[in-house]
Amino acid sequence: MLLALVALAAGTPKALLKGSVPAQLQSPGGLSASLVRFIGLAEVAAAVGLVVGLFWQPLGIAAAAGFAVLLVGAVRFHAKAGDYASPETRGNAMAPIILTLVAIAAAVTLTLAM
């Protein structure tokens, strides 16, 4: 449930293109508005899939795995932007790494629970 809440909280502003995060992602040399919206919708879909996956495990496994893949893309984005090298941005850039591990753990847990 917590992973679903995080996915929903991260995806909603991106899907709506509202707030500072979508603006930062679209900064010069960044992502297009349509790609930011797609990422946000994928995060919202992951949240829904994780919640439904509590009742139908195959969907939960797919949602957790898909969310992990999306987060690997976020790690790559942060690495390319140099966020891991800067002490000012390193803290926020660590979130996708931690969430990737949590999403993988959720997928494995749901798989083992079948």
Side-chain angles (χ1 to χ4, degrees), residues 14-45:
K14 292 175 197 151
L16 299 174
L17 296 177
K18 302 280 185 193
S20 63
V21 173
Q24 289 171 351
L25 291 173
Q26 296 176 69
S27 65
L31 305 175
S32 68
S34 59
L35 183 55
V36 172
R37 179 168 278 142
F38 174 78
I39 291 168
L41 291 172
E43 289 173 338
V44 170

Tab-separated table of all heavy atoms in Angstrom, residues 14-45:
chain	number	residue	atom	x	y	z
A	14	LYS	N	2.770	14.852	-12.258
A	14	LYS	CA	3.346	14.690	-13.602
A	14	LYS	C	2.246	14.479	-14.637
A	14	LYS	O	2.301	15.046	-15.727
A	14	LYS	CB	4.323	13.518	-13.626
A	14	LYS	CG	5.572	13.760	-12.828
A	14	LYS	CD	6.432	12.511	-12.803
A	14	LYS	CE	7.438	12.610	-11.684
A	14	LYS	NZ	7.806	11.327	-11.160
A	15	ALA	N	1.259	13.672	-14.302
A	15	ALA	CA	0.162	13.420	-15.243
A	15	ALA	C	-0.620	14.700	-15.533
A	15	ALA	O	-1.081	14.906	-16.651
A	15	ALA	CB	-0.767	12.344	-14.687
A	16	LEU	N	-0.746	15.557	-14.532
A	16	LEU	CA	-1.483	16.810	-14.695
A	16	LEU	C	-0.594	17.967	-15.143
A	16	LEU	O	-1.090	19.057	-15.425
A	16	LEU	CB	-2.162	17.185	-13.373
A	16	LEU	CG	-3.188	16.185	-12.838
A	16	LEU	CD1	-3.665	16.602	-11.452
A	16	LEU	CD2	-4.346	16.049	-13.799
A	17	LEU	N	0.725	17.719	-15.188
A	17	LEU	CA	1.720	18.759	-15.505
A	17	LEU	C	1.561	19.968	-14.590
A	17	LEU	O	1.603	21.120	-15.027
A	17	LEU	CB	1.643	19.171	-16.976
A	17	LEU	CG	1.977	18.083	-17.998
A	17	LEU	CD1	1.780	18.605	-19.420
A	17	LEU	CD2	3.391	17.567	-17.811
A	18	LYS	N	1.393	19.698	-13.302
A	18	LYS	CA	1.232	20.748	-12.295
A	18	LYS	C	2.348	20.625	-11.260
A	18	LYS	O	2.749	19.531	-10.881
A	18	LYS	CB	-0.115	20.603	-11.562
A	18	LYS	CG	-1.322	20.636	-12.447
A	18	LYS	CD	-1.683	22.031	-12.819
A	18	LYS	CE	-2.989	22.019	-13.612
A	18	LYS	NZ	-3.257	23.243	-14.245
A	19	GLY	N	2.850	21.736	-10.797
A	19	GLY	CA	3.828	21.747	-9.724
A	19	GLY	C	5.259	21.878	-10.216
A	19	GLY	O	5.534	22.024	-11.414
A	20	SER	N	6.176	21.828	-9.267
A	20	SER	CA	7.582	22.083	-9.566
A	20	SER	C	8.285	20.894	-10.222
A	20	SER	O	9.188	21.081	-11.027
A	20	SER	CB	8.319	22.480	-8.289
A	20	SER	OG	8.294	21.421	-7.353
A	21	VAL	N	7.907	19.677	-9.882
A	21	VAL	CA	8.601	18.508	-10.433
A	21	VAL	C	8.427	18.420	-11.954
A	21	VAL	O	9.421	18.277	-12.672
A	21	VAL	CB	8.167	17.209	-9.724
A	21	VAL	CG1	8.749	15.990	-10.413
A	21	VAL	CG2	8.581	17.245	-8.263
A	22	PRO	N	7.215	18.497	-12.484
A	22	PRO	CA	7.092	18.474	-13.944
A	22	PRO	C	7.853	19.621	-14.606
A	22	PRO	O	8.452	19.446	-15.664
A	22	PRO	CB	5.591	18.594	-14.196
A	22	PRO	CG	4.961	18.077	-12.961
A	22	PRO	CD	5.889	18.469	-11.852
A	23	ALA	N	7.856	20.791	-13.978
A	23	ALA	CA	8.578	21.940	-14.538
A	23	ALA	C	10.081	21.657	-14.574
A	23	ALA	O	10.757	21.984	-15.552
A	23	ALA	CB	8.287	23.192	-13.728
A	24	GLN	N	10.607	21.037	-13.515
A	24	GLN	CA	12.029	20.705	-13.478
A	24	GLN	C	12.373	19.656	-14.530
A	24	GLN	O	13.423	19.736	-15.162
A	24	GLN	CB	12.427	20.191	-12.095
A	24	GLN	CG	12.428	21.252	-11.027
A	24	GLN	CD	12.622	20.672	-9.641
A	24	GLN	OE1	12.600	19.462	-9.446
A	24	GLN	NE2	12.804	21.538	-8.657
A	25	LEU	N	11.505	18.689	-14.708
A	25	LEU	CA	11.763	17.648	-15.697
A	25	LEU	C	11.732	18.201	-17.120
A	25	LEU	O	12.374	17.664	-18.018
A	25	LEU	CB	10.742	16.518	-15.559
A	25	LEU	CG	10.847	15.671	-14.296
A	25	LEU	CD1	9.668	14.715	-14.204
A	25	LEU	CD2	12.153	14.928	-14.248
A	26	GLN	N	10.979	19.274	-17.316
A	26	GLN	CA	10.854	19.883	-18.638
A	26	GLN	C	11.840	21.028	-18.849
A	26	GLN	O	11.804	21.685	-19.880
A	26	GLN	CB	9.442	20.426	-18.835
A	26	GLN	CG	8.386	19.357	-18.837
A	26	GLN	CD	7.019	19.980	-18.933
A	26	GLN	OE1	6.656	20.528	-19.962
A	26	GLN	NE2	6.253	19.914	-17.852
A	27	SER	N	12.723	21.265	-17.877
A	27	SER	CA	13.678	22.363	-18.007
A	27	SER	C	14.475	22.215	-19.299
A	27	SER	O	14.478	21.143	-19.912
A	27	SER	CB	14.605	22.382	-16.798
A	27	SER	OG	15.389	21.208	-16.774
A	28	PRO	N	15.146	23.280	-19.724
A	28	PRO	CA	15.907	23.201	-20.977
A	28	PRO	C	16.829	21.972	-21.007
A	28	PRO	O	17.565	21.714	-20.068
A	28	PRO	CB	16.715	24.501	-20.982
A	28	PRO	CG	15.890	25.443	-20.166
A	28	PRO	CD	15.238	24.590	-19.104
A	29	GLY	N	16.723	21.227	-22.086
A	29	GLY	CA	17.498	19.993	-22.212
A	29	GLY	C	16.859	18.816	-21.507
A	29	GLY	O	17.418	17.728	-21.471
A	30	GLY	N	15.667	19.018	-20.942
A	30	GLY	CA	14.988	17.968	-20.193
A	30	GLY	C	14.015	17.183	-21.063
A	30	GLY	O	14.210	17.020	-22.266
A	31	LEU	N	12.958	16.741	-20.442
A	31	LEU	CA	11.977	15.890	-21.099
A	31	LEU	C	10.849	16.728	-21.711
A	31	LEU	O	10.560	17.827	-21.236
A	31	LEU	CB	11.388	14.908	-20.092
A	31	LEU	CG	12.384	14.037	-19.331
A	31	LEU	CD1	11.655	13.197	-18.290
A	31	LEU	CD2	13.168	13.160	-20.268
A	32	SER	N	10.202	16.183	-22.718
A	32	SER	CA	9.053	16.863	-23.312
A	32	SER	C	7.845	16.745	-22.385
A	32	SER	O	7.775	15.849	-21.547
A	32	SER	CB	8.716	16.249	-24.670
A	32	SER	OG	8.219	14.932	-24.499
A	33	ALA	N	6.897	17.651	-22.553
A	33	ALA	CA	5.684	17.626	-21.728
A	33	ALA	C	4.926	16.315	-21.912
A	33	ALA	O	4.413	15.744	-20.948
A	33	ALA	CB	4.795	18.813	-22.066
A	34	SER	N	4.869	15.812	-23.136
A	34	SER	CA	4.139	14.563	-23.368
A	34	SER	C	4.823	13.383	-22.694
A	34	SER	O	4.152	12.486	-22.186
A	34	SER	CB	3.963	14.309	-24.866
A	34	SER	OG	5.213	14.228	-25.504
A	35	LEU	N	6.144	13.375	-22.644
A	35	LEU	CA	6.854	12.284	-21.960
A	35	LEU	C	6.656	12.373	-20.453
A	35	LEU	O	6.451	11.353	-19.787
A	35	LEU	CB	8.338	12.293	-22.310
A	35	LEU	CG	9.173	11.165	-21.707
A	35	LEU	CD1	8.599	9.791	-22.065
A	35	LEU	CD2	10.623	11.276	-22.148
A	36	VAL	N	6.676	13.585	-19.908
A	36	VAL	CA	6.428	13.760	-18.472
A	36	VAL	C	5.021	13.282	-18.126
A	36	VAL	O	4.813	12.573	-17.134
A	36	VAL	CB	6.639	15.232	-18.047
A	36	VAL	CG1	6.199	15.453	-16.607
A	36	VAL	CG2	8.094	15.632	-18.224
A	37	ARG	N	4.051	13.635	-18.956
A	37	ARG	CA	2.671	13.196	-18.717
A	37	ARG	C	2.570	11.672	-18.805
A	37	ARG	O	1.908	11.036	-17.984
A	37	ARG	CB	1.711	13.845	-19.709
A	37	ARG	CG	0.270	13.383	-19.485
A	37	ARG	CD	-0.725	14.213	-20.240
A	37	ARG	NE	-0.965	15.418	-19.455
A	37	ARG	CZ	-1.133	16.618	-19.968
A	37	ARG	NH1	-1.081	16.812	-21.257
A	37	ARG	NH2	-1.356	17.646	-19.191
A	38	PHE	N	3.244	11.053	-19.786
A	38	PHE	CA	3.232	9.597	-19.928
A	38	PHE	C	3.828	8.931	-18.683
A	38	PHE	O	3.284	7.948	-18.174
A	38	PHE	CB	4.017	9.171	-21.175
A	38	PHE	CG	4.161	7.687	-21.309
A	38	PHE	CD1	3.113	6.915	-21.765
A	38	PHE	CD2	5.347	7.054	-20.949
A	38	PHE	CE1	3.232	5.535	-21.865
A	38	PHE	CE2	5.480	5.685	-21.048
A	38	PHE	CZ	4.421	4.922	-21.507
A	39	ILE	N	4.932	9.465	-18.186
A	39	ILE	CA	5.557	8.917	-16.979
A	39	ILE	C	4.589	9.025	-15.805
A	39	ILE	O	4.431	8.079	-15.023
A	39	ILE	CB	6.887	9.636	-16.685
A	39	ILE	CG1	7.927	9.283	-17.753
A	39	ILE	CG2	7.408	9.298	-15.288
A	39	ILE	CD1	9.163	10.160	-17.726
A	40	GLY	N	3.935	10.171	-15.677
A	40	GLY	CA	2.968	10.349	-14.598
A	40	GLY	C	1.813	9.369	-14.690
A	40	GLY	O	1.395	8.772	-13.679
A	41	LEU	N	1.298	9.165	-15.890
A	41	LEU	CA	0.205	8.205	-16.068
A	41	LEU	C	0.667	6.783	-15.767
A	41	LEU	O	-0.094	5.983	-15.201
A	41	LEU	CB	-0.360	8.304	-17.484
A	41	LEU	CG	-1.118	9.596	-17.798
A	41	LEU	CD1	-1.460	9.674	-19.282
A	41	LEU	CD2	-2.367	9.712	-16.935
A	42	ALA	N	1.909	6.463	-16.132
A	42	ALA	CA	2.448	5.133	-15.822
A	42	ALA	C	2.578	4.945	-14.321
A	42	ALA	O	2.302	3.854	-13.790
A	42	ALA	CB	3.800	4.942	-16.503
A	43	GLU	N	2.971	5.995	-13.603
A	43	GLU	CA	3.074	5.901	-12.143
A	43	GLU	C	1.692	5.744	-11.505
A	43	GLU	O	1.521	4.952	-10.566
A	43	GLU	CB	3.796	7.131	-11.590
A	43	GLU	CG	5.268	7.133	-11.921
A	43	GLU	CD	5.999	8.402	-11.541
A	43	GLU	OE1	5.349	9.465	-11.394
A	43	GLU	OE2	7.223	8.335	-11.384
A	44	VAL	N	0.712	6.461	-12.002
A	44	VAL	CA	-0.660	6.322	-11.491
A	44	VAL	C	-1.180	4.911	-11.788
A	44	VAL	O	-1.806	4.276	-10.929
A	44	VAL	CB	-1.579	7.412	-12.074
A	44	VAL	CG1	-3.038	7.135	-11.748
A	44	VAL	CG2	-1.166	8.786	-11.562
A	45	ALA	N	-0.917	4.405	-12.984
A	45	ALA	CA	-1.333	3.040	-13.334
A	45	ALA	C	-0.653	2.015	-12.434
A	45	ALA	O	-1.273	1.024	-12.020
A	45	ALA	CB	-1.021	2.746	-14.800
